[in-house]
Amino acid sequence: TTLLCLISALALSSTVLGAKCGNQDCGKDTPCCVKGFCNRNAMYCAPFNCEAENSLSPQSCWNTAHCVDDVADFSHAESFAQIASYKGNPRAAKYVSKFEPSNARQANGQLELQLVKQADGKGFGAVVIGTRAIQYGTVTADIRSGSTSGGVVSSFIIRNDKAGDEIDFEWVGQDPATVQSNYYWRNQLDYTKMVRSPALTDTTKNYHRYQIQWTPEEIVWAVDNKPFRVVRRSETWDPAAKVFKFPDSESYVSFSIWDGGAGEKGTADWAGGKVNWGAMPFVMGVKQLSVSCHFKGNDTTHVPPPGA
């Protein structure tokens, strides 16, 4: 009986300590897990990164801040912060770099994301993500692509990394005259659903206004206030799986620039081959972003972490 009690106590203790984070347990001083590592800062505890199931407890991850109608003018300081300085209060920073080191910054009256060459010859880019989640709404951004060489990919995305839902705009260096649109459901990648925009003036030299209108019934992609694609939920029904394969999970708005030319052959071919590093710098520019939420008034559910 004593042995059984001891085993039960150990099992309970293990449960309290949380699940394994890689090959370690996250403790009270470093409670948040990301990809096998534990820490307590925003890169680990922010809800868009934090793995609740592998952390000390599900409550270790910071609260999700929900959508509010807003305009982020990236010439203003409160619109962006490096994730190393973010304390979890979305009122203090509307967008943050997603990881360190960061190749994102505010400069020239805008948000700039840069792709740089590493010692191994591959590119290291940047991801900037919103600090509030959105489930349906209209998102509009004034963007200049940084894809001035084949292989360089710039992106404007609404995505839930954990669920695998995504709605996107992507620019590839081999085609500066258009932007590509696509969507995914539960990480089921189907590149055949990609649709290009009509011809645009050079997207690497000119700012265009890109918009995603996302409702429970449809997604509309538009450039310069002109819709060019509509996907209706009713069209995504999979009779075999008996499910609508339509993005519907609460997600985050993000921007990124990355080295597609260093990927697998299919990705590299799509991106336009290897990056021509002689064409540097590769800088994506975002002047402003506006969000109009489909569901209103959710901000009251957010509680910043202590010290935010």
Side-chain angles (χ1 to χ4, degrees), residues 95 127-130 155-159 252-256:
Y95 293 83
V127 178
V128 169
I129 191 165
S155 303
F156 168 31
I157 291 174
I158 303 173
R159 178 170 171 81
Y252 289 89
V253 177
S254 68
F255 305 99
S256 64

Side-chain angles (χ1 to χ4, degrees), residues 145 147-148 171-179 200-204 208:
S145 163
S147 302
T148 52
W171 299 260
V172 294
Q174 66 176 342
D175 183 15
T178 67
V179 64
L200 305 169
T201 57
D202 192 333
T203 59
T204 66
H208 293 276

Side-chain angles (χ1 to χ4, degrees), residues 68-251:
V68 295
D69 291 353
D70 188 62
V71 176
D73 179 342
F74 288 108
S75 66
H76 296 168
E78 76 279 0
S79 292
F80 173 75
Q82 300 295 350
I83 198 165
S85 64
Y86 183 60
K87 305 300 182 184
N89 186 350
R91 298 178 186 88
K94 299 175 182 180
Y95 293 83
V96 296
S97 56
K98 196 175 182 185
F99 48 76
E100 293 285 339
S102 171
N103 289 325
R105 63 175 186 160
Q106 286 174 289
N108 304 307
Q110 64 181 349
L111 175 67
E112 295 187 345
L113 295 83
Q114 186 169 11
L115 179 72
V116 300
K117 186 180 181 181
Q118 301 181 111
D120 63 2
K122 297 179 181 179
F124 186 78
V127 178
V128 169
I129 191 165
T131 54
R132 294 184 181 276
I134 179 172
Q135 188 175 31
Y136 308 121
T138 298
V139 182
T140 309
D142 296 340
I143 299 172
R144 185 197 64 208
S145 163
S147 302
T148 52
S149 161
V152 181
V153 181
S154 304
S155 303
F156 168 31
I157 291 174
I158 303 173
R159 178 170 171 81
N160 182 321
D161 278 341
K162 295 169 186 177
D165 285 351
E166 177 174 319
I167 307 166
D168 66 40
F169 280 111
E170 291 190 297
W171 299 260
V172 294
Q174 66 176 342
D175 183 15
T178 67
V179 64
Q180 299 181 9
S181 66
N182 214 335
Y183 71 98
Y184 306 112
W185 178 83
R186 304 300 192 265
N187 278 329
Q188 295 185 13
L189 305 184
D190 183 353
Y191 303 114
T192 66
K193 297 199 303 287
M194 184 273 288
V195 173
R196 288 183 176 85
S197 70
L200 305 169
T201 57
D202 192 333
T203 59
T204 66
K205 296 178 180 177
N206 301 288
Y207 291 86
H208 293 276
R209 179 157 291 181
Y210 300 91
Q211 184 178 82
I212 296 170
Q213 302 168 31
W214 177 34
T215 73
E217 300 305 324
E218 67 180 16
I219 306 165
V220 180
W221 290 258
V223 183
D224 297 331
N225 303 313
K226 297 176 182 178
F228 70 91
R229 182 183 187 184
V230 179
V231 170
R232 294 177 176 84
R233 181 176 182 271
S234 59
E235 300 167 347
T236 67
W237 176 253
D238 183 331
K242 293 183 170 54
V243 67
F244 290 101
K245 294 187 173 180
F246 183 84
D248 58 7
S249 59
E250 193 173 32
S251 302

